[in-house]
Amino acid sequence: MISSDLNKLDFKRLPHVRGSYKKHVIMAPYTWFRVGGAADAVFRPQDHEDLSQFLLQKSKKVPVTIIGAASNILIRDGGIPGVVIKLGKSFASTNFKSNSVRIGAALPNSIAARLALKEGYSGLEFLSGIPGTIGGGLRMNAGAYGREVKDILIEAEVIDSTGNIKVLSLEEMAMSYRQCGVPKDYIFLSGLFKTGRDVPSNIQKRLDEIRARRLESQPITERTGGSTFKNPEGYKAWELIEAAGCRGVSIGGAMVSEQHCNFLVNTGNASATDLENLGNLVQQKVRDATGIELEWEIKLLGLIKDSNLNSKNVSYE
Ligand SMILES: Cc1cc2nc3c(=O)[nH]c(=O)nc-3n(C[C@H](O)[C@H](O)[C@H](O)COP(=O)(O)OP(=O)(O)OC[C@H]3O[C@@H](n4cnc5c(N)ncnc54)[C@H](O)[C@@H]3O)c2cc1C
């Protein structure tokens, strides 16, 4: 898709909300890659009811995009048409029970793991090294070191595109490697997760081990989007990328990480187009060298910028 005139969202026709709308928001600062054009609007709902009313009342023509910590997203330079939803504090609660915990979708994984440590609950340690929120983790079935969200999930609370809140069982979530089968327009509100009990010093030890492994193997202090491609059945994506000679390859300000070659990094002045072109180049080189097609794990969102094209007006009522 090519970028269209991004000023066509009619704010006067958006539903009245108790939360806030911000107009024409540059998305780059919201994302781990620090790239991306503007969203027509960012909506921060006050609470579940506010989000529900917004979804119920908004025109069907207004596209909606939900983001978490944007640690697995590449927002294109032409920006995101319509309304981007970013959940805030009231969607980030925790409720520990005897052997489970309900966690709000907006809570960062690292904080969930830290709160579990404080309360003496085990089982969430693997989340500590995955940047991102519980909501993003539910959508992506995030995982590390042999554990995935689906291994600890009991059920998830979602809201559909017309504002109805539902509870989905683990089976209904249809989770598999880095994806779930829930309709794309559903927004996760919370997850209920199994937990065990352990002494905090044991939990802390596992958290420390995870942190040390991360620092050693991943460019976690850089502007990146995590694993760029899914591991094809029977292969490791990074090995295929290495074998195709792509480690350290760059386009503009985008580079294949020297530390972990399934990570792309913004070395400072990359555009989203640089990063997407680099990903496409890696895909092509791996295809040429091995015949294997790498599938993007990173979600590519929004419109390609082409300032030379005066594309047709798109209006959202
Ligand atoms: C340095 C680094 C290391 C990483 N390591 C790992 C790893 O080890 N394992 C791993 O699995 N991932 C890893 N990732 C990728 C990323 O952290 C995970 O995919 C994470 O779960 C994404 O969460 P997020 O909140 O950032 O989601 P976003 O990136 O914001 O969004 C990802 C997808 O989830 C959707 N989404 C977000 N919130 C919601 C919601 N509330 N309801 C419905 N849909 C939603 C978005 O629309 C989008 O489709 C890494 C990323 C980085 C930058």
Side-chain angles (χ1 to χ4, degrees):
M1 250 197 299
I2 302 295
S3 99
S4 51
D5 183 343
L6 284 176
N7 292 315
K8 294 294 170 192
L9 184 69
D10 184 352
F11 281 86
K12 289 193 269 332
R13 299 185 74 168
L14 284 177
H16 176 73
V17 291
R18 285 178 288 110
S20 65
Y21 291 121
K22 250 193 188 172
K23 264 190 198 179
H24 192 75
V25 182
I26 304 295
M27 294 306 295
Y30 284 77
T31 73
W32 264 68
F33 269 128
R34 295 289 188 272
V35 299
D40 285 343
V42 170
F43 168 42
R44 302 195 76 125
Q46 176 100 0
D47 50 33
H48 289 29
E49 181 55 25
D50 199 28
L51 175 59
S52 172
Q53 286 305 314
F54 167 81
L55 292 168
L56 179 67
Q57 290 172 25
K58 76 163 188 67
S59 158
K60 295 239 173 327
K61 291 185 193 159
V62 176
V64 163
T65 305
I66 172 85
I67 62 164
S71 63
N72 213 206
I73 281 177
L74 177 59
I75 296 179
R76 294 190 173 108
D77 301 314
I80 302 186
V83 177
V84 168
I85 298 179
K86 176 96 179 135
L87 305 178
K89 252 202 228 141
S90 60
F91 295 83
S93 60
T94 53
N95 184 3
F96 286 92
K97 306 214 170 115
S98 56
N99 51 11
S100 65
V101 56
R102 180 168 294 284
I103 312 179
L107 195 72
N109 294 323
S110 55
I111 297 182
R114 228 182 301 140
L115 291 174
L117 161 73
K118 210 170 126 206
E119 305 279 340
Y121 286 86
S122 60
L124 305 188
E125 293 88 329
F126 76 96
L127 288 177
S128 67
I130 304 176
T133 60
I134 293 294
L138 287 165
R139 172 59 69 189
M140 300 301 299
N141 184 25
Y145 309 123
R147 305 269 282 161
E148 299 178 306
V149 167
K150 79 174 169 52
D151 299 327
I152 57 168
L153 186 67
I154 299 169
E155 61 184 36
E157 191 188 14
V158 293
I159 189 161
D160 71 14
S161 60
T162 51
N164 299 305
I165 295 178
K166 308 172 186 190
V167 172
L168 301 180
S169 67
L170 175 61
E171 291 69 36
E172 288 170 314
M173 290 282 290
M175 297 175 108
S176 56
Y177 174 54
R178 299 300 167 266
Q179 60 186 7
C180 73
V182 172
K184 292 209 173 357
D185 55 4
Y186 280 26
I187 294 174
F188 292 108
L189 299 176
S190 70
L192 180 65
F193 302 97
K194 290 180 262 190
T195 55
R197 299 304 303 244
D198 203 349
V199 285
S201 59
N202 288 345
I203 301 171
Q204 182 67 63
K205 200 167 152 236
R206 290 192 288 273
L207 293 177
D208 292 345
E209 279 164 12
I210 287 171
R211 175 144 182 86
R213 275 175 84 171
R214 292 257 149 194
L215 276 169
E216 199 187 334
S217 62
Q218 293 184 356
I220 57 173
T221 55
E222 298 197 58
R223 299 167 176 196
T224 180
S227 295
T228 311
F229 299 105
K230 295 184 181 182
N231 290 324
E233 188 83 44
Y235 297 92
K236 293 239 180 290
W238 75 263
E239 286 175 354
L240 298 171
I241 295 167
E242 170 113 304
C246 295
R247 191 182 286 273
V249 165
S250 64
I251 293 182
M255 191 175 93
V256 176
S257 166
E258 293 277 5
Q259 193 180 1
H260 189 317
C261 61
N262 194 21
F263 280 52
L264 301 183
V265 292
N266 171 5
T267 59
N269 61 352
S271 63
T273 303
D274 290 341
L275 288 157
E276 186 169 354
N277 285 342
L278 183 58
N280 290 337
L281 177 69
V282 169
Q283 246 178 346
Q284 182 209 312
K285 284 186 173 280
V286 168
R287 191 186 305 124
D288 291 348
T290 65
I292 295 169
E293 190 66 30
L294 290 177
E295 186 192 340
W296 283 88
E297 177 175 323
I298 288 176
K299 304 277 184 200
L300 304 167
L301 298 184
L303 306 172
I304 292 166
K305 186 173 183 178
D306 189 339
S307 45
N308 300 323
L309 275 180
N310 235 342
S311 52
K312 54 189 179 316
N313 287 346
V314 178
S315 63
Y316 319 114
E317 288 159 16

